[in-house]
Amino acid sequence: MFYIYKTSCISPQSSYGSPALSELVASAGNKLMAQEPVYSGIPPGILRRMGKAVRIGIGAALPLIADKQETQGIIIGTANGGMEDCIKFLNQIIEYDEGKLTPTNFVQSTPNAIAGQLGLMQSNKGYNITHSNRGLSFENALMDVDMLLAENKNAKYLVGAVDEISAYNFRIEWLGGWYKSEDSSNLNLFENESDGSIAGEGAAMFLAGNEKQGSICRLTDIHFFQTDSAGVVKEALTKFLAKHLPSGKSPDLFMSGENGDRRMQKYYEACTGSLAANTPVLSFKQMCGEYPTASSFGAWAACEILRTQEIPMHMLRTSSSTSNTPISSIFIYNTYKGNQHSFMLLEK
Amino acid sequence: MRIFVTGIGIISALGNNAQQNRSSLSSGKSGISSLEMLSSRYASIMPFGEVKISTDDLIKKMDARESGVTRTDLLALHAFNEAVNNSRLTPAQLSDPNTALIGASTVGGMCLTDELFLDSTSREVGSPYLSSYDCASPVMYLQKRFSIGGVINSINTACSSSANAIMYGARLIKQGKAKRAIVGGTDSLAKFTINGFNSLLILSDAPCQPFDEARRGLNLGEGAAFLVLEAEEDVKDKNCYAELTGYSNTNDAFHPSSLSDNGDGPFLSMQGALRTAGLETSQIDFINAHGTGTENNDLVESRAMINLFTTPPPFVSTKAYTGHTLGAAGAIEAVFSIFSLVNDEIYPAVNFEHAIADTGLVPAKKFEKKRISHVMSNSFGFGGNCTSLILSKV
């Protein structure tokens, strides 16, 4: 359990700086691309060499680390890091038949380049790590911070997640059947009952610590696991909620990671079936698209809802009215490809 | 809470199991040779630390016939099997929610450089490897094969990845998030990394010479190692190889691909590991240095050792034996550190002739039997990621 004080997010929506989430920005070509801000805090010479994942990761983190003394470590989750740089380097290998190559793409392609660059820019010599466990990279980053804060009570940490769309990983995931083969839009993501989702990307960053004062909310618990079985998800959910909520009580909101892929629906239905029938269900993948660390966008959006007490209409998946009672708890369930699953409970 | 190592497994250019690796180290026999299993234009120009079993033979040997399995996965499986058998973990224990698996890899399925190129650019129908390329793939493969039930993670901090996997596993146990953790790393040789390190002009065309004035760069290697970590109260009658007493993760915060002149990151990680272990510098009997054989690393690491220890204890870089195995290096070298503790011996530097003029540090030059109580193992990587571990005699 820990508290979140500040958040920052670069995503396909207007999420950076002063977020404006009521209007849903539309996708193009089955992709939701990040809206990148002007990166005034990054020296131009460094900015030019950065690939997109590094750029949006650093850009999202900058507002949280303006004060150099504030964080004792940097914990990033990313499944792929700089995928574009990775394949650009691969192209060089093939094109020049392993001849003389330039190293920039190689250095930028390592997933730890984001956390490393943040450490460098912040002169932060503390704990620095990159978790790359595909669809549970962000979740492991959160668990790491939870452990760090138990080990170092007075510390604060920067934790977040980044992944990018590149032409190459889009193609690989598309070949794998994870993106819709028909032309689709996020504006009606849940209406087409077909396989696959639409691609997304983004960077979400959080400042975390043990002090309650000055916090937006707390991450009460996180739990993640591997299974193909919706029954196992249902069982784990019951256990998770029983641990944190009074018997029979459901969280104020259920934020679902459903992504328009009909094969994933059984997992989300296992969750809605276990919550009180009138629990409002929200979705977030129409905003950020599907990517391995999309749950970090979900967590960011949950923090925004707890902070502002406002729910963008396009997020509501159920007609159940969100009455005027304050929103104090949000439960997030997400699955990546139906075999990696995570629960997060955020509370005011 | 004390954390013990109850199982070890390793495969490297020095051999296919713990016994073969130790035997090569004891006789000062390097595994650096010319490339036979991978085709690359550098195969005949540069030496490598290659595991001399073909991918097909690894598949047959372990009956690993799942679709999309890569050499990186297979090396991991080989070391994992040895570690798990060594610790006598049962299938029921593997699938228990209290068993964590924390791995590390920097190459993952990118060892199939040409397959990845085709899948990501031009193929109309994907290869069987579509979900095998990322660096989580080896861990995901092991999780699925053995239905491992607890926390699963892959860490990527470049060349210090598996040292961080070991540290993460120990912290999970200490905080009650696991009872046991199988921790380690794997990487196989790949055109991707060969060309990457070559583009940085840090590959040597001769067997590498860590800490030598005339060092000309590193040799890449491949391999995997896993350790089984368990809490003191769960060890019962098991054989304990070592205690993991110290660990620390820091950042050098200087440059994306080289270390600062004074080695702040390395200094702080070594100092932090001593602090976690509650040890004085004088109590470290041996250091398994990062020692890549590059101009930058060896000079900076030497300076950091001098700054911390004044007169450093005997040290060696075993990368002159295995090559730099990247994401596997931290785990492989933790296993070598355990060999020193269990057998009270230190292994000699190979290819070393002349000390670096600026520091005058001379690594251990001959095989020696002596009492070893605490070994420090260093791993430093791109992105300024530095991690030091301390393993102690039980």
Side-chain angles (χ1 to χ4, degrees):
Chain A
M1 198 269 286
F2 59 82
Y3 292 92
I4 294 168
Y5 310 100
K6 291 185 194 168
T7 67
S8 174
C9 181
I10 293 177
S11 77
Q13 304 301 316
S14 305
S15 54
Y16 195 63
S18 309
L21 302 178
S22 55
E23 292 261 335
L24 182 61
V25 176
S27 60
N30 291 7
K31 293 176 190 164
L32 271 163
M33 307 287 265
Q35 292 188 29
E36 293 193 63
V38 176
Y39 298 102
S40 49
I42 307 175
I46 296 176
L47 184 63
R48 208 169 42 242
R49 281 195 295 274
M50 286 178 175
K52 183 163 60 177
V54 179
R55 210 161 56 222
I56 61 177
I58 306 286
L62 278 176
L64 307 190
I65 58 170
D67 175 3
K68 286 192 181 200
Q69 298 309 312
E70 208 163 7
T71 58
Q72 276 67 49
I74 295 162
I75 299 92
I76 299 295
T78 179
N80 292 313
M83 194 68 194
E84 182 90 22
D85 277 297
C86 172
I87 310 287
K88 271 189 195 160
F89 191 70
L90 196 65
N91 287 348
Q92 281 193 58
I93 296 175
I94 308 285
E95 192 177 337
Y96 298 103
D97 188 23
E98 300 189 73
K100 282 227 178 310
L101 312 178
T102 52
T104 310
N105 296 135
F106 178 65
V107 174
Q108 289 278 317
S109 77
T110 69
N112 69 324
I114 300 148
Q117 187 73 41
L118 278 168
L120 203 166
M121 289 177 65
Q122 207 196 356
S123 303
N124 188 329
K125 293 178 185 172
Y127 189 82
N128 187 295
I129 201 162
T130 302
H131 297 281
S132 296
N133 196 40
R134 202 173 289 172
L136 295 174
S137 303
F138 175 60
E139 286 77 356
N140 266 293
L142 292 178
M143 177 173 273
D144 197 353
V145 169
D146 193 46
M147 293 198 289
L148 286 165
L149 285 166
E151 292 156 359
N152 308 290
K153 302 273 184 232
N154 298 319
K156 287 199 171 65
Y157 293 95
L158 175 72
V159 57
V162 190
D163 270 301
E164 69 176 20
I165 301 174
S166 73
Y168 312 102
N169 67 344
F170 181 82
R171 192 176 174 91
I172 287 174
E173 297 298 313
W174 181 79
L175 284 174
W178 297 107
Y179 299 138
K180 291 192 183 296
S181 50
E182 71 276 13
D183 193 23
S184 298
S185 166
N186 64 326
L187 302 178
N188 51 17
L189 184 62
F190 306 107
E191 287 162 26
N192 293 347
E193 297 229 326
S194 58
D195 289 357
S197 186
I198 57 172
E201 63 181 3
M205 297 286 161
F206 306 83
L207 187 64
N210 282 317
E211 267 295 309
K212 187 177 177 182
Q213 203 185 357
S215 66
I216 299 170
C217 61
R218 71 174 194 207
L219 181 84
T220 303
D221 198 9
I222 171 137
H223 180 62
F224 50 91
F225 51 97
Q226 285 69 218
T227 186
D228 295 330
S229 153
V232 170
V233 172
K234 196 179 170 77
E235 235 171 84
L237 172 74
T238 310
K239 234 170 106 182
F240 181 85
L241 292 179
K243 194 172 145 192
H244 299 290
L245 297 171
S247 165
K249 192 176 180 310
S250 282
D252 294 341
L253 299 175
F254 168 43
M255 199 182 260
S256 150
E258 60 197 296
N259 65 357
D261 185 332
R262 64 178 168 184
R263 298 167 299 179
M264 299 300 118
Q265 217 43 40
K266 62 181 175 187
Y267 301 108
Y268 295 101
E269 280 161 12
C271 288
T272 43
S274 303
L275 296 166
N278 61 350
T279 310
V281 181
L282 312 184
S283 62
F284 62 88
K285 298 248 172 93
Q286 76 280 11
M287 302 168 78
C288 66
E290 182 62 295
Y291 58 101
T293 49
S295 58
S296 66
F297 180 86
W300 174 82
C303 289
E304 272 302 288
I305 291 171
L306 288 169
R307 186 177 71 85
T308 61
Q309 296 286 310
E310 282 170 19
I311 303 170
M313 284 307 289
H314 59 79
M315 292 185 78
L316 271 171
R317 299 278 295 131
T318 49
S319 52
S320 44
S321 66
T322 52
S323 57
N324 288 331
T325 51
I327 303 160
S328 61
S329 63
I330 302 181
F331 169 72
I332 306 174
Y333 164 66
N334 187 59
T335 181
Y336 188 65
K337 297 187 175 176
N339 62 8
Q340 291 180 298
H341 308 265
S342 70
F343 302 146
M344 286 182 243
L345 182 62
L346 288 134
E347 292 180 285
K348 189 86 185 152
Chain B
M1 185 193 286
R2 299 173 71 188
I3 307 288
F4 292 100
V5 180
T6 62
I8 50 175
I10 182 169
I11 183 166
S12 79
L14 293 184
N16 305 338
N17 55 41
Q19 190 262 325
Q20 288 176 9
N21 272 267
R22 183 187 157 218
S23 150
S24 298
L25 287 168
S26 305
S27 54
K29 196 172 134 271
S30 167
I32 302 293
S33 68
S34 57
L35 209 52
E36 292 167 26
M37 305 293 162
L38 179 76
S39 93
S40 162
R41 79 187 268 175
Y42 299 102
S44 58
I45 305 172
M46 288 170 177
F48 294 89
E50 188 176 42
V51 172
K52 298 297 182 196
I53 314 177
S54 73
T55 303
D56 284 345
D57 286 346
L58 283 166
I59 289 172
K60 281 187 209 131
K61 187 179 171 194
M62 298 183 290
D63 198 25
R65 295 177 196 281
E66 299 93 336
S67 174
V69 171
T70 69
R71 185 171 178 83
T72 315
D73 300 336
L74 293 162
L75 293 174
L77 175 61
H78 204 278
F80 178 94
N81 281 338
E82 187 187 8
V84 163
N85 292 335
N86 196 217
S87 174
R88 308 196 314 266
L89 294 183
T90 62
Q93 283 175 318
L94 289 178
S95 59
D96 189 283
N98 284 308
T99 301
L101 171 65
I102 314 300
S105 181
T106 66
V107 164
M110 287 199 298
C111 52
L112 299 168
T113 308
D114 298 281
E115 290 289 334
L116 173 56
F117 177 74
L118 292 172
D119 277 335
S120 63
T121 52
S122 59
R123 274 204 181 109
E124 289 303 319
V125 177
S127 77
Y129 301 104
L130 290 176
S131 59
S132 312
Y133 294 124
D134 67 9
C135 52
S137 297
V139 158
M140 300 289 285
Y141 170 64
L142 293 175
Q143 189 280 327
K144 195 154 191 213
R145 186 169 168 122
F146 297 100
S147 305
I148 298 167
V151 176
I152 307 295
N153 193 12
S154 307
I155 289 172
N156 191 326
T157 52
C159 307
S160 62
S161 299
S162 54
N164 280 318
I166 293 171
M167 179 169 165
Y168 194 73
R171 291 169 58 230
L172 285 173
I173 297 172
K174 283 192 178 180
Q175 299 219 12
K177 295 183 191 295
K179 271 182 179 299
R180 62 190 75 81
I182 306 160
V183 295
T186 180
D187 259 327
S188 58
L189 284 163
K191 273 190 202 173
F192 189 82
T193 37
I194 293 172
N195 283 278
F197 283 91
N198 191 54
S199 71
L200 287 160
L201 309 174
I202 53 175
L203 287 186
S204 171
D205 55 7
C208 67
Q209 296 177 274
F211 297 102
D212 193 290
E213 176 69 17
R215 67 197 180 285
R216 297 218 301 264
L218 60 85
N219 304 138
L220 280 175
E222 64 181 355
F226 279 92
L227 292 78
V228 178
L229 303 180
E230 296 190 75
E232 189 176 16
E233 57 264 34
D234 295 314
V235 165
K236 304 209 171 73
D237 62 337
K238 277 192 186 182
N239 177 32
C240 291
Y241 290 90
E243 180 182 354
L244 179 65
T245 51
Y247 44 73
S248 177
N249 163 319
T250 63
N251 196 274
D252 195 43
F254 174 71
H255 186 272
S257 61
S258 63
L259 291 168
S260 60
D261 286 352
N262 285 321
D264 290 351
F267 177 89
L268 292 168
S269 71
M270 289 190 280
Q271 190 187 50
L274 284 168
R275 198 176 300 134
T276 331
L279 293 172
E280 303 290 333
T281 49
S282 60
Q283 290 174 280
I284 298 296
D285 300 303
F286 190 48
I287 299 175
N288 186 307
H290 185 56
T292 55
T294 61
E295 188 71 35
N296 175 246
N297 178 82
D298 295 6
L299 176 62
V300 172
E301 189 173 9
S302 296
R303 282 184 185 150
M305 285 194 288
I306 291 168
N307 287 344
L308 183 63
F309 290 90
T310 312
T311 307
F315 68 95
V316 74
S317 165
T318 48
K319 291 190 176 69
Y321 289 85
T322 59
H324 190 350
T325 57
L326 306 178
I332 283 180
E333 291 164 29
V335 169
F336 293 168
S337 302
I338 290 168
F339 291 161
S340 287
L341 287 167
V342 170
N343 302 295
D344 284 316
E345 60 196 23
I346 60 175
Y347 309 111
V350 289
N351 311 327
F352 176 84
E353 286 171 17
H354 304 289
I356 297 171
D358 193 51
T359 66
L361 284 190
V362 176
K365 281 164 90 172
K366 57 180 200 299
F367 175 80
E368 202 179 328
K369 282 281 187 186
K370 60 183 283 191
R371 176 148 178 105
I372 305 287
S373 299
H374 304 284
V375 182
M376 177 181 276
S377 179
N378 286 338
S379 298
F380 312 137
F382 282 4
N385 284 119
C386 300
T387 295
S388 297
L389 303 174
I390 298 174
L391 290 139
S392 302
K393 198 187 271 309
V394 178

